[in-house]
Amino acid sequence: MGKRVALVLAGCGVFDGSEIHEASAALVHLSRGGAEVKIFAPNIEQRDVVNHLKGSPAEEKRNVLVESARLARGNIQDLAELKASEFDAVIFPGGFGVAKNLCSWAVDGKNCTVNEHVNSTLQAFHSAKKPIGLCCISPVLAAKVFPGCEVTFGQDKNVDGRFPDAETASAIAELGCKHICKNVNESHVDKANKIVTTCAFMCKAPLHEIFDGIGTMVQEVLKLA
């Protein structure tokens, strides 16, 4: 019988929601791994809306759950309804929506607050010793909620210009967490906390390498589940 996995989205689109390629990659790898997946998102207003063609703010309001439904093909539930007891693992794709909608990292950095339902979801899975998978910027959620945990954002230096956000590693160190350097096609397993992370688009890499890295994260999550 396949593992039951909850996937938590933050909207639809890299600049104000979930990164679409990351969400899709996670779903493909979960499908290949025989997992039964249900998708969730918080029923809240987005922090902002970005015109993805121009890369500039748009004067409109959107709802995170409604926008996430685009990625879920309409088959999605309010995050408030997620019960950790019904699942073996939870996975959070990345995208700026994580840092804007699931927490306030985009504005407040290490002093950010985490959405109450995101926080309670993470705490519930952690307390039940069930694995948590995170990619791209979403490991900041674990760093904020679980001081002392280990995560990766790729490299802690901008190696060959491929890791322009390497300073994130220093920021999470200030939260008392340990950053583990990994290549884009790898993931890191914090065995003590059952937290699995991979850098995804925190690295400027070909899409297939990002896809493969997310695959290692999914595989490790399913092994731990």
Side-chain angles (χ1 to χ4, degrees), residues 62-84:
R62 296 192 183 186
N63 177 279
V64 174
L65 179 59
V66 172
E67 290 301 295
S68 297
R70 294 174 178 270
L71 277 170
R73 297 172 61 86
N75 189 8
I76 194 168
Q77 293 174 260
D78 187 336
L79 183 59
E81 300 172 8
L82 194 162
K83 295 180 176 63

Side-chain angles (χ1 to χ4, degrees), residues 169-185:
S170 300
I172 65 108
E174 293 180 33
L175 291 172
C177 298
K178 185 176 182 180
H179 181 265
I180 308 297
C181 291
K182 290 285 181 177
N183 292 323
V184 66
N185 59 349

Side-chain angles (χ1 to χ4, degrees), residues 79-171:
L79 183 59
E81 300 172 8
L82 194 162
K83 295 180 176 63
S85 60
E86 297 178 354
F87 295 91
D88 300 302
V90 64
I91 288 178
F92 290 78
F96 279 108
V98 171
K100 293 178 175 180
N101 304 325
L102 303 192
C103 71
S104 63
W105 184 274
V107 176
D108 303 317
K110 63 181 174 38
N111 298 316
C112 72
T113 56
V114 178
N115 171 273
E116 61 174 317
H117 295 303
V118 173
N119 194 333
S120 62
T121 295
L122 289 167
Q123 295 282 9
F125 277 85
H126 189 260
S127 296
K129 295 182 171 21
K130 295 179 177 180
I132 299 167
L134 310 110
C135 63
C136 195
I137 192 62
S138 65
V140 300
L141 299 172
K144 186 65 180 181
V145 176
F146 308 118
C149 71
E150 298 175 355
V151 299
T152 188
F153 294 98
Q155 301 294 321
D156 55 10
K157 294 181 178 60
N158 189 9
V159 181
D160 298 327
R162 284 166 37 105
F163 295 89
D165 301 304
E167 71 276 1
T168 307
S170 300

